[in-house]
Amino acid sequence: MNRPRVAPIALLLLALLAACAPAAGSSGRPIDASAGPAPAARGADLLVRVDLSLADFGLTERDLTPSLWVPSGFASEVGDVSAYFGLHDVTLPPGWSIDLSQVKAERRSSTRASTGASSVSYSLW
């Protein structure tokens, strides 16, 4: 099995965090990294969500196998794939720390009404 590359997620997280002061109060709700820099206060936690495709890591749906797919809405399921990912060789300024708390794979099914053809798409967050 090929090990997934972690650089894209690490770079996105660091780009967001670099624009902030050392981590700020955790509200339990993640900040969407695509929204740009987020305000941060010294000494608290900042929970950041980054959405990526399997292609961002050079993966296919067969490369990640969660132990359980959990229904998460209409024609959607989510599975924990944290065991496949990690942060390595991350350099941060003094007073900063970063952890990868979880990685979820989401698969969505859709059916084209005009043809009846169905498809499944995958994403990571």
Side-chain angles (χ1 to χ4, degrees), residues 8 11-12 15 21 28 31 33 38 48 51 62 68 80 99 110 113 117 121:
L11 292 175
L12 286 170
I31 296 169
V48 179
D51 290 76
R62 291 183 286 307
L68 177 67
D80 189 343
D99 295 307
S110 61
S121 64

Side-chain angles (χ1 to χ4, degrees), residues 1 16 24-25 38 69 76 114 116 120 124:
M1 173 174 86
L16 174 72
W69 286 104
S76 176
S114 61
V120 178
L124 296 170

Side-chain angles (χ1 to χ4, degrees), residues 5 72-75 125:
R5 296 186 322 262
S72 65
F74 180 73
W125 51 271

Side-chain angles (χ1 to χ4, degrees), residues 41-99:
R42 182 177 293 275
D45 296 323
L46 186 66
L47 183 59
V48 179
R49 176 176 165 158
V50 179
D51 290 76
L52 299 164
S53 70
L54 294 177
D56 290 330
F57 293 95
L59 300 171
T60 68
E61 61 273 4
R62 291 183 286 307
D63 294 326
L64 301 175
T65 308
S67 58
L68 177 67
W69 286 104
V70 178
S72 65
F74 180 73
S76 176
E77 300 170 296
V78 175
D80 189 343
V81 293
S82 301
Y84 292 93
F85 294 88
L87 293 176
H88 301 281
D89 301 324
V90 176
T91 304
L92 298 170
W96 285 85
S97 65
I98 187 171
D99 295 307

